[in-house]
Amino acid sequence: MEAFALIPPEWTNQAIHAHKFCCPNCNASSLEAEKVWLNRRSPVITEERRRKWQEFYNCNCGCVWWAWSSDRPPTDLSKQDNNLT
């Protein structure tokens, strides 16, 4: 997958901004995307001095969308790490 490529893939040119962290066409989650690219070369610094960047998704419905990494919903992965100890 090309998620960390330095140059944006051609398919990102048609991306639309999703205001919720899901496909604006079919509401599929980012986990269901066929392709992903993270624009880590151009981070934005928030007022809290945290970095955020654009995450691009090519959904299986054909819609290409992007959202800010800071809009990503919380996960329960940290809870899983705690169960390992």
Side-chain angles (χ1 to χ4, degrees):
M1 193 174 271
E2 56 202 17
F4 299 104
L6 296 178
I7 298 171
E10 195 67 34
W11 59 265
T12 60
N13 292 337
Q14 58 186 325
I16 58 173
H17 186 190
H19 296 282
K20 295 181 182 178
F21 206 89
C22 63
C23 176
N25 186 51
C26 71
N27 294 320
S29 79
S30 60
L31 298 174
E32 299 175 58
E34 292 181 359
K35 296 179 183 176
V36 177
W37 183 68
L38 307 175
N39 186 6
R40 304 281 309 247
R41 295 191 74 184
S42 301
V44 173
I45 307 299
T46 66
E47 292 177 7
E48 297 85 29
R49 305 191 76 48
R50 302 189 87 158
R51 279 190 282 185
K52 68 179 184 177
W53 49 86
Q54 291 174 296
E55 298 184 10
F56 290 81
Y57 297 94
N58 190 342
C59 186
N60 56 22
C61 76
C63 181
V64 178
W65 58 278
W66 71 271
W68 292 110
S69 59
S70 58
D71 293 340
R72 177 182 287 283
T75 66
D76 59 353
L77 293 177
S78 60
K79 293 178 188 175
Q80 290 176 1
D81 289 342
N82 291 339
N83 291 337
L84 297 175
T85 57

